[in-house]
Amino acid sequence: MKLINKHVEKDGSGYVTLRPEDDEDMWHVYNLISEGDHIRALAVRKVQMYSSTGSSESKRVRTNLTIEVTKTDFSAAPSSSQANAQGEKKESTASLQISGRVVEENEWVKMGAHHTLDLEANRDFRLTKISGWDSVALERIQESTAEGRGAEVGAIVCGEGTAAICLLSEHMTVVRQRIETSVPRKRKGGTSGHDKAMDNFFSTVYQAILRLIPFQDLKAIVIASPGFTRESLYDYIFQQATLTSNKPLLQSRSKWIKVHSTTSHVHGLVEALRAPEVAKMLQGAKFAREGVGLDKFHKMLATDELRAWYGPEHVALAVDRGAVGTLLISDDLFRSSDPATRTHYVEMVESVRARGGEALIFSSMHESGQQLNLLTGIAAILTYPLDIEVVEMEEREEKERLEREEKMKQGIDVDDDDEDKGHDSDADGAAS
């Protein structure tokens, strides 16, 4: 994404002008825009034109509109299931629709009119945050506009007759193509049908890899499968590369890693990326840190549950006590329509980092982010063990103490008040 213009004051007021360039940029934009923000972009609006004789006609005009956001709708680019007969695949892109009321009148559209903007790649728009730019939003701007950002890892998750060709960037897992072919089982006395079907399957996957995996530019290409399919596919790929003298593919051989996974589905990538040989090559990559962080949390939950907390209320208590060493939080939580809720999560991130802890913001477009969402979207690894029941009891006692102090400030004698209530109840009992 290109940063065209940025004018943000120290108090968080101001605007940025951005130009998204690909599907991942559209995902960043979706995460940046909140309800109540102002968006200014090019729009096509149908208007009624009236002549002096009273006749009317409708036409579409192109104009710049500024709307106050009430709703956002992001649609990820669907993956293709199979290549067509010519081996070509039609490229698809993500779409982003922003609905709201017009807040700046122009000659074509009145104030308050409803409109839906279709934000598109390579088209500028201006975003103004009325509630102010916070640190999480500014961090996303910095990440999304950094030079050299793009896909870092290619992955083929496969089984017998099924494969998913994926590209992984800092914030997205994009399934470029899914391949499914029928492979008959091996039978006693003859395996020719099975072997022929597997050869056809490997050929289809190989052709898809040549079209969709930019192996010269990637840090690593992972082949993951439950059985020995990865070994056979790897051998087939470089056998074909040798036969066809595909030098770029042969030169990338050191980047290819074969990893075991328990499933042939895309969510097996989380497990594959945790493999030591993959983690070593991807050291420092954002999604690799996320996978390692989630793995550490699950291990801590299994071995020392007093240091592994999850859920918004419990994690907030741990943050308040300065006990969080690593905070795991999904970007889903920052898209809350309530500004106070978003501010609450931003302050949690800032508080953890201010105390020297690590805050990992997971992308829900990665498999690891989707797994975190199953755990309410927020979790924490504590620096020392805390019993949640003890903490909640202490919180209740502190709340009661503060209430008593507030009553005393207002001139209410708490003990006398309680004693009077006791006398009143005794009197009522005697009367009855």
Side-chain angles (χ1 to χ4, degrees):
M1 184 150 58
K2 289 186 177 179
L3 179 61
I4 306 302
N5 194 5
K6 180 181 177 183
H7 185 77
V8 177
E9 302 292 346
K10 290 183 178 179
D11 61 358
S13 62
Y15 64 88
V16 296
T17 303
L18 300 167
R19 181 183 301 161
E21 297 176 308
D22 54 31
D23 288 357
E24 184 174 352
D25 291 344
M26 300 300 280
W27 174 250
H28 283 300
V29 173
Y30 174 60
N31 281 277
L32 282 169
I33 297 174
S34 304
E35 188 174 328
D37 293 349
H38 287 185
I39 297 283
R40 182 172 180 80
L42 184 66
V44 178
R45 180 85 176 185
K46 187 177 180 181
V47 297
Q48 290 289 124
M49 304 289 292
Y50 297 93
S51 66
S52 57
T53 60
S55 62
S56 65
E57 64 171 338
S58 62
K59 70 174 185 178
R60 294 185 176 276
V61 298
R62 295 166 66 87
T63 182
N64 285 309
L65 287 183
T66 303
I67 66 170
E68 182 177 318
V69 178
T70 57
K71 182 183 177 183
T72 57
D73 184 23
F74 175 83
S75 299
S79 61
S80 65
S81 57
Q82 279 281 19
N84 61 20
Q86 288 73 37
E88 298 174 349
K89 186 178 78 69
K90 184 179 179 181
E91 290 292 332
S92 53
T93 57
S95 61
L96 182 59
Q97 287 80 40
I98 314 295
S99 301
R101 292 178 177 272
V102 176
V103 292
E104 290 184 13
E105 189 172 4
N106 64 21
E107 61 176 313
W108 303 112
V109 186
K110 293 182 179 180
M111 288 273 288
H114 285 275
H115 189 82
T116 298
L117 292 172
D118 291 308
L119 297 188
E120 299 177 357
N122 299 308
R123 185 172 292 177
D124 297 357
F125 72 93
R126 188 179 74 190
L127 172 61
T128 305
K129 286 196 166 290
I130 302 304
S131 59
W133 289 86
D134 57 53
S135 61
V136 171
L138 292 173
E139 181 180 315
R140 186 172 284 271
I141 290 285
Q142 185 177 0
E143 288 181 359
S144 62
T145 58
E147 290 292 332
R149 181 193 56 81
E152 293 187 323
V153 178
I156 302 99
V157 188
C158 57
E160 287 196 355
T162 178
I165 314 295
C166 309
L167 286 176
L168 284 75
S169 61
E170 286 288 293
H171 295 271
M172 291 186 79
T173 299
V174 180
V175 181
R176 296 299 306 275
Q177 185 171 346
R178 296 182 190 272
I179 297 170
E180 292 186 10
T181 61
S182 178
V183 177
R185 293 182 179 179
K186 290 183 179 180
R187 295 180 180 179
K188 290 182 180 180
T191 60
S192 59
H194 175 273
D195 292 344
K196 184 177 180 180
M198 287 300 292
D199 282 342
N200 290 335
F201 168 64
F202 288 149
S203 176
T204 303
V205 175
Y206 178 69
Q207 295 301 323
I209 289 171
L210 294 181
R211 291 196 316 275
L212 305 174
I213 301 290
F215 38 81
Q216 292 176 289
D217 303 325
L218 298 175
K219 289 183 178 179
I221 304 100
V222 178
I223 305 180
S225 74
F228 297 100
T229 308
R230 62 185 181 277
E231 304 285 350
S232 301
L233 177 58
Y234 177 86
D235 292 341
Y236 183 91
I237 289 170
F238 288 100
Q239 181 186 52
Q240 293 300 311
T242 302
L243 290 173
T244 58
S245 299
N246 190 328
K247 290 184 179 180
L249 181 53
L250 291 171
Q251 290 170 355
S252 71
R253 190 165 191 157
S254 61
K255 299 180 181 180
W256 292 73
I257 309 169
K258 295 167 286 184
V259 180
H260 172 78
S261 66
T262 55
T263 176
S264 59
H265 298 289
V266 176
H267 55 259
L269 274 176
V270 177
E271 180 185 6
L273 293 175
R274 288 202 298 260
E277 57 269 39
V278 179
K280 184 177 180 180
M281 293 187 71
L282 301 180
Q283 194 171 13
K286 181 178 182 294
F287 57 84
R289 295 197 305 272
E290 292 172 4
V292 170
L294 189 61
D295 191 36
K296 286 182 178 178
F297 172 79
H298 283 300
K299 287 179 179 178
M300 187 66 73
L301 191 62
T303 58
D304 187 1
E305 62 179 13
L306 296 183
R307 289 185 58 196
W309 287 20
Y310 63 93
E313 294 180 359
H314 289 174
V315 173
L317 289 175
V319 172
D320 288 342
R321 291 179 174 240
V324 176
T326 303
L327 176 68
L328 291 68
I329 185 167
S330 170
D331 56 13
D332 271 356
L333 299 181
F334 296 106
R335 290 197 295 273
S336 172
S337 58
D338 179 18
T341 301
R342 178 185 170 91
T343 301
H344 170 67
Y345 288 121
V346 171
E347 289 175 349
M348 287 176 68
V349 170
E350 293 176 343
S351 177
V352 170
R353 289 175 174 171
R355 290 185 170 103
E358 182 182 24
L360 298 174
I361 301 176
F362 283 59
S363 170
S364 53
M365 288 295 280
H366 272 314
E367 294 297 319
S368 57
Q370 293 170 19
Q371 288 192 11
L372 181 60
N373 285 339
L374 296 176
L375 288 169
T376 72
I378 187 168
I381 301 173
L382 308 191
T383 54
Y384 54 87
L386 281 175
D387 190 324
I388 185 61
E389 293 182 358
V390 173
V391 171
E392 287 179 334
M393 182 184 68
E394 291 175 350
E395 288 292 320
R396 285 194 300 270
E397 291 176 350
E398 179 67 12
K399 183 179 180 182
E400 291 170 0
R401 184 185 67 80
L402 293 174
E403 288 176 352
R404 286 196 300 270
E405 289 182 355
E406 184 63 28
K407 285 183 178 180
M408 292 177 67
K409 286 181 181 178
Q410 295 174 3
I412 301 173
D413 192 325
V414 177
D415 293 334
D416 289 349
D417 188 44
D418 292 340
E419 188 177 345
D420 289 342
K421 287 181 181 178
H423 287 314
D424 289 344
S425 62
D426 291 342
D428 290 342
S432 62

